């Protein structure tokens, strides 16, 4: 298990094809951030890979980021854990 800190998130590599993603509180994901995120995933994970997005923090996406977020073909599966406070 390896923890990587990016300027906008923490990514924990759980297996060579599985990662947990924790976006930092208050981040507004845009196309540039999504591109950095995808580049990181491609450089650290074996495709096809799965992601567990742990939505413990409050953050948002702009429209362009929403369009690009799931466009990466190497993402085989994605699960989001959201908390009700």
């Amino acid at each position: 298990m390896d923890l990587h800190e990016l300027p906008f998130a923490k990514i924990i590599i759980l297996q060579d094809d599985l990662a947990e993603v924790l976006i930092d509180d208050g981040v507004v994901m845009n196309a540039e951030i999504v591109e950095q995120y995808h580049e990181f995933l491609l450089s650290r994970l074996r495709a096809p890979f799965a992601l567990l997005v742990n939505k413990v923090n409050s953050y948002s996406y702009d429209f362009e980021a929403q369009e690009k977020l799931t466009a990466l073909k190497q993402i085989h599966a994605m699960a989001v854990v959201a908390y009700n406070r």
Side-chain angles (χ1 to χ4, degrees):
M1 185 164 65
D2 295 322
L3 172 66
H4 301 272
E5 293 195 38
L6 301 171
F8 53 87
K10 292 173 186 61
I11 299 179
I12 304 168
I13 306 296
L14 301 169
Q15 298 177 13
D16 63 348
D17 62 349
L18 175 64
E20 180 177 2
V21 179
L22 298 105
I23 305 296
D24 294 338
D25 196 46
V27 169
V28 177
M29 297 285 284
N30 59 34
E32 182 180 315
I33 291 174
V34 171
E35 188 174 314
Q36 289 177 312
Y37 172 57
H38 285 171
E39 287 174 9
F40 176 85
L41 296 174
L42 291 170
S43 72
R44 301 293 176 145
L45 296 172
R46 180 179 49 84
F49 50 81
L51 302 172
L52 171 61
V53 179
N54 189 337
K55 194 158 177 18
V56 68
N57 295 318
S58 178
Y59 57 91
S60 62
Y61 301 90
D62 71 16
F63 183 73
E64 192 175 0
Q66 288 178 29
E67 290 183 317
K68 293 182 178 222
L69 188 64
T70 58
L72 193 62
K73 293 183 225 176
Q74 290 85 347
I75 298 173
H76 174 68
M78 186 183 308
V80 178
V81 177
Y83 301 91
N84 185 4
R85 297 179 194 207

